[in-house]
Amino acid sequence: MDEEEFARWMNQAKHTFRLIDVDMEAGGYDWACFKAQQACEFALKALLRALGREAFGHNILAFYREAIGICEEGEALEACVSYLDKLYIPPRYPDAFPEGFPAERFTRSDAERARECARRVIEWIESCAVRG
């Protein structure tokens, strides 16, 4: 495993994860959701890229399914990753919904769920890297 590459991506995952709380405190639940998706994406890419695998794009569900083949699944995270996968575009684009805009669509509950899912994925990837 390329530990330097792993650390580079995982450090960005953790940094992005910490910023979720800042957005939540400000009521930016849309951006908190997007940052949770990004933190998950960075963590999954940390593992895959550190192992020399191609990990391009934003399909975190595909990244997760590849990571399962590398790590013991442990707790089932597919539902979490699937939820986060849906948060790549809608939180950022005013035309993602037929009417209104993202800031009025995303709730604290959405952001809390996204944050918890991102936390679980980051911890799973870290645990896998330590074992591997």
Side-chain angles (χ1 to χ4, degrees):
M1 177 179 282
D2 182 338
E3 292 183 24
E4 187 175 315
E5 186 71 354
F6 180 82
R8 182 167 80 130
W9 284 88
M10 188 55 77
N11 286 337
Q12 188 64 39
K14 290 178 178 179
H15 169 73
T16 303
F17 180 80
R18 284 189 300 270
L19 292 175
I20 294 169
D21 290 334
V22 174
D23 286 314
M24 287 181 68
E25 285 297 315
Y29 306 128
D30 48 343
W31 284 105
C33 286
F34 175 66
K35 286 179 182 169
Q37 184 279 338
Q38 287 288 276
C40 176
E41 181 177 323
F42 296 152
L44 289 164
K45 285 181 175 180
L47 177 69
L48 297 174
R49 288 181 175 220
L51 292 173
R53 308 255 179 124
E54 288 195 23
F56 297 100
H58 309 287
N59 186 347
I60 61 174
L61 194 53
F63 297 152
Y64 170 73
R65 289 177 177 157
E66 186 172 349
I68 292 172
I70 298 164
C71 304
E72 294 177 17
E73 188 170 355
E75 55 184 311
L77 295 173
E78 188 158 335
C80 267
V81 175
S82 179
Y83 175 68
L84 292 171
D85 199 38
K86 297 173 185 118
L87 299 176
Y88 180 67
I89 292 175
R92 300 181 299 136
Y93 291 96
D95 62 352
F97 298 103
E99 57 186 45
F101 56 99
E104 67 183 11
R105 294 289 186 118
F106 288 89
T107 66
R108 180 169 194 82
S109 177
D110 295 328
E112 287 170 350
R113 179 179 176 197
R115 184 185 188 284
E116 177 61 17
C117 284
R119 181 194 63 76
R120 290 175 59 200
V121 171
I122 290 169
E123 288 177 358
W124 176 66
I125 293 293
E126 285 186 308
S127 174
C128 174
V130 169
R131 288 190 313 261

